[in-house]
Amino acid sequence: MIKRIPALVLSGALTLSLAACGSNNTATEGNGGSKPSGEKKVVKILHWKQGNVNAAMEEINKAFEAKYPEYKVEYTTTGPDDEYKQAQRARITANDVDILADLSGMRLSPKDWTPGAKVPDWQQWIDSGLIADLSDQEFVKKWNANDIEKAGTYNDKVYAIPTGKVAMSGLFYNKQIFEDNGLKVPTTWTEFLKLCEDLKAKGITPIGVAGKDVWPLKLPVFALQAKILGGGDQQKWIEGVWKGETAFNDAEAVEVLEKMKTLQDNYMIDGFMGIDYASAPSIFATGKVAMLADGSWDAPTIATANPDLKFGYFPVPATEDAAKNASFVGKYDVTWYAAEKGPNKEGALKWLEFFSEPENYTKYVKAAGFIPTQDNISTESEFIDNELTPYLGDFELAYEIMMINRQNVGEHLAAEGVHTEYLAPGGEFKTAKELADVQQKEWEAAAPK
């Protein structure tokens, strides 16, 4: 049975609130028709605040209105995370949006081996007939078929357009520091530890990370999970924990935690649990650390912080197998859905068609700093071409994208995380095994009765 959408009861109030707050809002009517704004038909787009992407979107929307003067785009942005999710749920269920963004593509859909798992919002919306089927739209053919299959397809139908990918498992590194000290990009775990020791011996802090926001701590762990769990097949390991064949305190899972604890205890900048995410790029850009644990999307921020800085990006080498380590782990980013019952479905499809044109998409993806999900797109980015592309051959999705959690699982496993912030000295657990044992108990306690 399809679950009821929990935000339905909130939709009316939140929709009214958003309508009141939106700076460019124009009155529209429902029931599949668009009320003119003057002589124009309004296309309502909902997105979260993200400066560089928002600016690109504004430019694309103006170009769309210029080419199709019968339309007016109402582009509304909210705060990210929970604020956006509330707005998203409210407006799609109230049929008050034509195009809405989602994060990370389609994911976390329950499998036959995940009894009791939560059905994600996007799947509830499709099953409820709220999302338009794009399968027959010509513009879908402009996108990479593999990316559409992985991030935009459900029950053999296309419902979403993933607009780019990002690498999450890498470390930015200061090329000048490496060159000045005769250091090379490591390809194995042993080489990585020696690199960190060499940096410390020269009085250079090896790694910066924004521990205050907690989630950045997950980024290097994604490499460890992808390359270690299941012998390098984390999907197999994830299915195993549901079936009782693997466990959060088995040898591979403990190895992941122990390696991250090694980095946290010995090589990360002092006081990293007090560094917020907004501050981390400048710490790296000013040479206070040799490396920074961060996602590839922050390359423009680093370049802005220090335009003269020469920096690269390499995957955290999780194992002693250099070939296995030589690929990034990441996710899809902004993903567009068209509402089936929004006020202007026809306009939504026209906008997606326009957005899919390579010249328009190129503007967007260059501004966003994403890895393109259309083929033959030139981003003119030295960072993407030289630092990311060599490691994209065996690109894998991150654990948090693949892991289907049990409902009401404990805090040490919540939000598809491994939560190394609970490890000492910042946290309560002195060893990786202690945290792993608690995680396994919480997993078992959350099993469906």
Side-chain angles (χ1 to χ4, degrees):
M1 179 179 176
I2 299 169
K3 294 187 175 183
R4 301 287 295 177
I5 298 174
L8 277 170
V9 296
L10 298 173
S11 61
L14 280 169
T15 300
L16 288 172
S17 174
L18 284 165
C21 295
S23 59
N24 296 315
N25 287 355
T26 305
T28 59
E29 65 182 9
N31 302 320
S34 175
K35 184 176 180 178
S37 173
E39 297 299 321
K40 300 180 185 296
K41 296 180 287 185
V42 176
V43 180
K44 294 185 171 185
I45 301 177
L46 180 64
H47 194 195
W48 55 83
K49 294 183 187 301
Q50 189 175 354
N52 55 335
V53 180
N54 298 152
M57 284 290 294
E58 296 283 4
E59 184 178 347
I60 289 171
N61 291 339
K62 286 181 182 177
F64 175 76
E65 292 173 340
K67 183 172 182 178
Y68 300 105
E70 67 269 36
Y71 293 105
K72 176 178 175 57
V73 178
E74 180 186 298
Y75 180 54
T76 302
T77 60
T78 77
D81 303 325
D82 288 344
E83 182 181 345
Y84 181 75
K85 290 177 181 177
Q86 286 187 335
Q88 190 186 42
R89 290 165 180 161
R91 293 190 58 176
I92 188 66
T93 53
N95 300 326
D96 187 40
V97 66
D98 299 304
I99 295 175
L100 68 161
D102 202 8
L103 191 61
S104 306
M106 293 175 165
R107 64 186 183 114
L108 308 181
S109 181
K111 313 296 184 186
D112 57 6
W113 41 266
T114 59
K118 180 180 181 296
V119 178
D121 286 347
W122 63 262
Q123 185 173 333
Q124 294 183 47
W125 299 334
I126 292 173
D127 291 342
S128 301
L130 296 175
I131 300 296
D133 179 359
L134 306 178
S135 304
D136 296 330
Q137 298 298 321
E138 278 296 312
F139 63 74
V140 172
K141 297 177 182 176
K142 296 183 183 296
W143 300 87
N144 179 278
N146 184 52
D147 293 324
I148 289 290
E149 172 66 27
K150 284 185 175 179
T153 303
Y154 170 63
N155 283 346
D156 298 323
K157 294 183 178 179
V158 178
Y159 288 98
I161 301 296
T163 68
K165 293 180 286 192
V166 292
M168 306 164 74
S169 62
L171 292 169
F172 288 99
Y173 71 102
N174 186 316
K175 289 187 173 182
Q176 193 65 55
I177 290 178
F178 273 48
E179 182 179 333
D180 290 347
N181 294 282
L183 303 173
K184 296 181 179 179
V185 169
T187 61
T188 66
W189 179 253
T190 297
E191 289 180 6
F192 183 39
L193 295 189
K194 184 175 186 310
L195 167 73
C196 292
E197 285 294 332
D198 288 347
L199 286 165
K200 284 182 66 176
K202 295 176 183 294
I204 302 169
T205 301
I207 305 171
V209 66
K212 185 176 182 179
D213 292 82
V214 178
W215 66 263
L217 291 171
K218 295 196 294 185
L219 299 176
V221 180
F222 289 147
L224 301 172
Q225 292 169 310
K227 310 303 180 183
I228 295 172
L229 297 179
D233 183 351
Q234 62 180 338
Q235 180 63 47
K236 176 183 176 182
W237 186 88
I238 289 169
E239 186 172 342
V241 297
W242 276 90
K243 294 179 176 178
E245 298 167 351
T246 57
F248 286 93
N249 58 353
D250 66 20
E252 290 178 340
V254 172
E255 181 183 350
V256 168
L257 292 175
E258 285 182 337
K259 285 185 170 177
M260 187 59 184
K261 182 169 172 54
T262 295
L263 299 182
Q264 291 182 188
D265 288 355
N266 301 290
Y267 305 121
M268 289 186 170
I269 187 172
D270 288 344
F272 64 85
M273 290 303 292
I275 297 174
D276 64 74
Y277 187 66
S279 302
S282 63
I283 290 173
F284 172 71
T286 53
K288 294 179 180 175
V289 296
M291 296 174 282
L292 175 69
D294 200 350
S296 62
W297 59 83
D298 237 1
T301 308
I302 292 169
T304 299
N306 183 357
D308 296 325
L309 181 70
K310 295 180 179 179
F311 63 89
Y313 191 72
F314 66 87
V316 172
T319 74
E320 298 305 328
D321 184 338
K324 180 190 286 189
N325 298 334
S327 60
F328 285 124
V329 176
K331 67 172 183 175
Y332 292 93
D333 210 283
V334 177
T335 302
W336 296 125
Y337 292 90
E340 175 66 25
K341 300 178 181 178
N344 191 358
K345 177 185 174 183
E346 179 269 336
L349 297 177
K350 178 63 78 175
W351 188 90
L352 282 175
E353 176 185 272
F354 182 79
F355 179 83
S356 301
E357 292 297 329
E359 62 269 28
N360 299 322
Y361 174 64
T362 298
K363 294 175 185 173
Y364 168 89
V365 80
K366 287 172 68 173
F370 295 159
I371 301 164
T373 45
Q374 285 190 4
D375 297 330
N376 303 316
I377 295 294
S378 174
T379 64
E380 300 176 353
S381 166
E382 185 175 326
F383 178 74
I384 291 177
D385 292 344
N386 297 338
E387 304 297 333
L388 299 185
T389 300
Y391 299 109
L392 292 177
D394 292 318
F395 183 83
E396 299 176 70
L397 293 177
Y399 174 88
E400 73 169 11
I401 305 301
M402 301 176 69
M403 179 61 190
I404 300 172
N405 235 344
R406 282 177 171 163
Q407 295 197 57
N408 303 314
V409 75
E411 62 180 337
H412 301 92
L413 287 175
E416 296 83 35
V418 291
H419 298 290
T420 59
E421 72 272 18
Y422 289 115
L423 292 170
E428 60 187 294
F429 298 101
K430 295 181 179 178
T431 69
K433 185 63 165 55
E434 289 177 20
L435 174 58
D437 287 341
V438 169
Q439 290 177 329
Q440 181 59 26
K441 287 181 181 179
E442 290 182 348
W443 179 255
E444 294 170 0
K449 308 302 180 185

